[in-house]
Amino acid sequence: MKIQMTEFYTGKKGDGKTLTVLVSGMDADKLIEQPDGNATLQLAVKEVTHKSYPLLARIIIRYAKQTKAQTLIIPVDELITRAPDYGTEKAFEVLVTNLLLAEYAYDVHITDKKRNHHVANCIITTDRLKMLQTALKKGLQKGMLTNEARELINTPACDMTPLFFANYVKKMVPKQANVSVKVFAKKDLQKMGANAILAVGAGSPSEPCMVVVEYKGAKPKDEPIVLVGKGITFDTGGVNVKPGDSMHQMHMDMTGAASVLQSFIYAVNQKVQKNIVAIMCVAENSVSGTSYRVNDIIKTLSGKTVEVLNTDAEGRLVLADGIAYADKYKPAVILTAATLTGAAIVALGQRLNAMFASDDGLAKDLYNAGWLSHDYCWHMPLWSEFEKDMQGTVSDLANIPPRNSRAGGTITAASFLHQFAKPHRFGHIDCAPRMTAIEEDKLAFGATGSPTLMFMEYLES
Ligand code: BES
Ligand code: ZN
Ligand code: ZN
């Protein structure tokens, strides 16, 4: 969908069927099909809250798809005044992003192109053309790059191998002097001692890798923000193979890696004046004769040893090496994003992610980034008491608590990661809750792309 902004629009040849949106104070939306074949939507915007505001954009797109409109016309000035917590520009940016998010669907493999209607053009009319230029660009970038993340996440594991992911990064990261890409292949990881990533990837014929991208937007010596993403291209659980239908959707277990990548690209495109590094730990957790086993003891990149008590707790292992690698940058802060625990879904449901932080200032910043981007999270405890739950019996750490292994599963996982991040400032998003869209989101089936938007907000704040 192409989004354009203009002062007046009276229609032109090739518009096809148009849907024009009008703001209405009524209780319910009203769709009017006109005799000339076009349609009008009277959109009910009575009680708009911070949380319901982005849904207005998504509802508009739903109607546009439903009516099979080719051109969507949105007079935007009145609509954006309805956002309760924002100034005009941010309200407009959020609207643009959400139009794009709602338009996206993973449909490259559907032969019948009529099954999912795509709106070709969106014409936004406004009296504030000049004022909204920057917000338009930001909104477009955020929407497009989040949809890129969703496309990566939705791609099945038969195509999305670690090598495919690494090549994608090389292709997509802007080629400019202050940006670099490094791919550490299996032999590089062996040399380095990233044995946790190697162990997790050992069962798959697709070799694991670590992809590192660096951006210098500030003075060379300024401490960078380092993002670390879990990139499990498929999570079978390993020899602790996932039971029943819980393997379903485990091609999305690289959500963290896709999110850190796209938010990194956003920061580069926006010329954010910070140094930023994104580390993506990419492996397939397969079952085979070469898979790592229960009771294996791994010497991780940090030097700490970890006993594997469950091969399905693989995300924290690959991240342990990614975090250890982050240490080399003397980071101002390390932020991890991972679909780490099913327990996070049990704890919070599917409307928001779990967030951890090593200090309250960081927790506040992360919470606010989530709130402003509508990519929400909730602060969970990172108390030192949980560290002893993760202590190993015959090693420094175990990858699940040796006793009482399910209690506080999201917290113990975060505590495990924290021990690799110390003494640095550390934040962690367990994005298992928001991995897939729910009906209420009014987004297409599959990945939401979360926490891409939250990280974009954090990086530019
Ligand atoms: N990738 C899964 C977590 C997950 C589950 C994400 C469902 C999204 C939806 C992770 O690797 C995993 O399997 N975690 C285990 C941890 C357990 C063995 C301590 C889990 O949640 O069951
Ligand atoms: Zn797992
Ligand atoms: Zn996993």
Side-chain angles (χ1 to χ4, degrees), residues 230 235-238 242 250 253 285 310-315 340:
K230 171 178 175 180
D235 184 9
T236 63
K242 284 185 178 290
M250 279 304 121
D253 211 17
N285 189 20
N310 191 317
T311 58
D312 199 9
E314 82 299 337
L340 205 58

Side-chain angles (χ1 to χ4, degrees), residues 384-406:
S384 61
E385 284 81 351
F386 290 97
E387 286 170 19
K388 61 174 180 293
D389 296 356
M390 298 305 289
Q391 200 173 69
T393 314
V394 291
S395 54
D396 300 334
L397 292 149
N399 79 330
I400 61 167
R403 294 164 296 277
N404 208 2
S405 72
R406 288 164 63 89

